[in-house]
Structure formats: C-alpha cells, structure tokens
Amino acid sequence: MTKDQFFAFAQHITPQKTLSRTIGRIAECENTWVKNTFISQFIKKYQVDMSEAVNSDPLSYRNFNDFFTRAIRSELRPICEQKNGIVCPADGAVSQLGEIEHGTLLQAKGHTYSLTSLLGGDASLSNQFLGGSFATVYLSPKDYHRVHMPLTGKLTKMIHIPGKLFSVNKVTAEQIPSVFARNERTVCIFETEAGPMAVILVGAMIVASIETIWAGQVTPFNKNVVTWDYSELNNINIKKGEEMGRFKLGSTAIVLFGKGAVNWEESIQAETPTKMGMHFGQINEK
C-alpha cells in the first residue's frame, strides 16, 4: 500500500463527523489561550499571509473561526470588470475544469463523477447543465475562505445534501472515487445573464460548517436532502464579485453553467493558482 493509498484508507475508518464536530467546537472556543494557540500554530504551519487581511492582528480575533473566515483587503482582490467576464469565485487552485460530458464531471485523472449525484439526485435540475461547463476550485488551509459570485445572479434554490466528510485535496481526489458527489455539500442555484448557474460548496474533513450570506449556517446534520425554494422571492440578488458563502475550515467550490453558455479562460487549467475576482472566463454572446 502506497502512502497515498494509506491516507485514503485512513479516512474511511476515521469517525469523520464526530471529529469534525469536535474540531468545530474548539474552533468556536473564545478562551484566550486556546484560540491564540490554535491561531498561532496554524499561521506558522501554513505560512498564512496576515498582511492581506483587513484585520492583520491574528490574536485579536474572537475565536479560530473568526480568524479563519477573515475578511481580505478589497484592493488586493479587484473584481474583473471585463464585458461579459466571469470572475473566479475563490482563492486557491483549479482542481479540474472543462465540459460536462455524458452527464459526468472530471474529478482527477482516471476519475469522473455523476452530475445528477452531485446535485442530490435531481434529474430535472441536472438536465439544465448537461453538456455545459464546470470548474472546481480547491481552497487550501492558508487561503481566503469566502466564496464570491462568478456572475450577478438571482437565487432560485438551495439544496443541502448530507454525506461523507473526506478530505478534498489532490491526493484524495486521485484516490477516492466520486468524492465531491459523496461529501456533504450545499448547492446554490442562480439565474444569471448566462442562464442557470450553480455554485456548490463542498464540505470536507473537519469542516465545521458551510454558511451562505442569506441563510447563515446551512449544515443541519440532517440525514435527508433539504431543499429551500427561493423562486417566488425577488429580493435575493447578489452582484458579481460579492460574497455568497464561506467555509469554516475550508474545502472546495464547484461552479456549473449550461450548455454553450460560457468559455473558460484558455490559460486556466488543472493546478492553476487562483485569486478571487480574477478573470475566469467569458459569457458566450447569443
């Protein structure tokens, strides 16, 4: 058994949710010694650049989660203003991107996963994205952990899908089949000038929660799929580049568009580093 295979195997036997909830409670702890110790060790281990944060004093944060979801200085992440431009939703690196072929998305070399499974088994929803485009952005521990809108959109639906909490780094993506369609996740559907757009926030090992700006924490630890229908509401409109959600102990964001709706920036490919707000693609003019 290789080192990577052992890492994947160990995740199968780890009590994922118990570990994640325990770490989540520690991350919310406001005890000065506890939170300062965790924050200091985290910065040292992952070489976090605090000069980018609005509040650059790491020990002034209320708890670890406050530090982890810290706001970034807006001038350091300018939003692409190119006509018909799509912006990158998050700091991190591209895991994979391309076309949704035969109802599947590429996870890693040799591994694909089902679009319908990713969207919680809703075939009518997945039909809107058949033959379309996807992009997967992995947020590493050192990254800025707020997710922003690729395009201006009106929220029509949110789906919380329970699941596993495997790690979602490169090694796991190469070792565990369908990891993004097996992990706990929140699917957000928007209507945009490019047609339907999905922004999917995927949970992972020790991710304490996923939040959206309109609903707060959306991880109810429910065993069933939960759907919120916003189609009759007209007041949840979020502009391109504005925050739409965040991870408390980070993970992966997946963006979907329908067939022929967009083209990704040609220079972007697997493992390309990303910054939130950068030019990520272009809407196809109809």
Side-chain angles (χ1 to χ4, degrees):
M1 182 181 290
T2 67
K3 180 181 178 181
D4 289 353
Q5 289 172 331
F6 179 78
F7 178 68
F9 169 74
Q11 293 184 60
H12 284 280
I13 61 175
T14 297
Q16 298 173 344
K17 291 191 182 293
T18 299
L19 175 63
S20 297
R21 290 174 185 177
T22 300
I23 297 298
R25 285 193 288 270
I26 295 173
E28 286 289 336
C29 178
E30 297 183 18
N31 176 275
T32 301
W33 182 86
V34 172
K35 61 102 174 175
N36 286 356
T37 299
F38 272 81
I39 290 171
S40 298
Q41 290 300 313
F42 189 90
I43 290 173
K44 181 178 179 180
K45 178 177 176 60
Y46 293 107
Q47 298 296 298
V48 177
D49 183 3
M50 290 302 296
S51 69
E52 293 192 330
V54 172
N55 176 8
S56 61
D57 179 3
L59 303 187
S60 68
Y61 287 89
R62 181 171 58 89
N63 54 33
F64 182 86
N65 274 338
D66 262 8
F67 153 75
F68 194 81
T69 59
R70 61 196 175 276
I72 207 161
R73 289 159 51 199
S74 59
E75 68 270 20
L76 299 179
R77 296 295 185 275
I79 305 303
C80 169
E81 296 181 352
Q82 184 173 331
K83 185 176 183 291
N84 293 331
I86 300 164
V87 305
C88 180
D91 282 17
V94 171
S95 178
Q96 294 290 338
L97 84 171
E99 295 185 358
I100 302 169
E101 299 179 345
H102 310 295
T104 62
L105 294 79
L106 180 63
Q107 175 174 299
K109 187 176 180 180
H111 289 295
T112 59
Y113 60 102
S114 161
L115 171 64
T116 302
S117 296
L118 176 67
L119 298 176
D122 187 335
S124 62
L125 180 58
S126 65
N127 284 341
Q128 299 179 46
F129 300 101
L130 287 175
S133 303
F134 80 96
T136 305
V137 178
Y138 167 68
L139 293 74
S140 74
K142 67 179 176 60
D143 289 320
Y144 169 62
H145 274 83
R146 300 187 186 191
V147 179
H148 293 243
M149 291 287 284
L151 285 176
T152 297
K154 174 187 173 183
L155 180 70
T156 61
K157 183 180 290 189
M158 181 172 71
I159 309 165
H160 177 73
I161 304 162
K164 300 291 186 179
L165 289 173
F166 292 112
S167 167
V168 290
N169 61 21
K170 185 174 183 289
V171 171
T172 305
E174 293 173 346
Q175 295 292 327
I176 298 179
S178 302
V179 65
F180 300 128
R182 295 168 69 180
N183 271 17
E184 182 172 347
R185 56 205 179 277
T186 298
V187 178
C188 306
I189 306 297
F190 300 91
E191 189 57 43
T192 76
E193 61 181 306
M197 175 183 75
V199 181
I200 303 162
L201 308 180
V202 184
M205 187 78 75
I206 72 169
V207 173
S209 68
I210 295 170
E211 294 184 359
T212 64
I213 63 165
W214 58 87
Q217 184 167 321
V218 197
T219 42
F221 298 113
N222 195 306
K223 294 183 178 180
N224 302 310
V225 174
V226 181
T227 300
W228 293 264
D229 186 353
Y230 294 93
S231 59
E232 298 302 317
L233 300 177
N234 296 310
N235 60 341
I236 305 181
N237 293 277
I238 312 174
K239 294 181 180 178
K240 180 169 73 174
E242 289 185 344
E243 180 186 348
M244 56 77 60
R246 62 181 66 175
F247 294 107
K248 290 183 177 177
L249 297 177
S251 186
T252 291
I254 302 173
V255 179
L256 309 179
F257 286 101
K259 185 175 182 179
V262 305
N263 284 318
W264 300 125
E265 167 62 45
E266 290 183 0
S267 64
I268 297 175
Q269 54 190 314
E271 301 188 21
T272 297
T274 63
K275 294 293 184 184
M276 187 282 292
M278 65 182 274
H279 182 256
F280 208 53
Q282 198 79 10
I283 299 171
N284 285 328
E285 294 191 27
K286 299 178 181 178

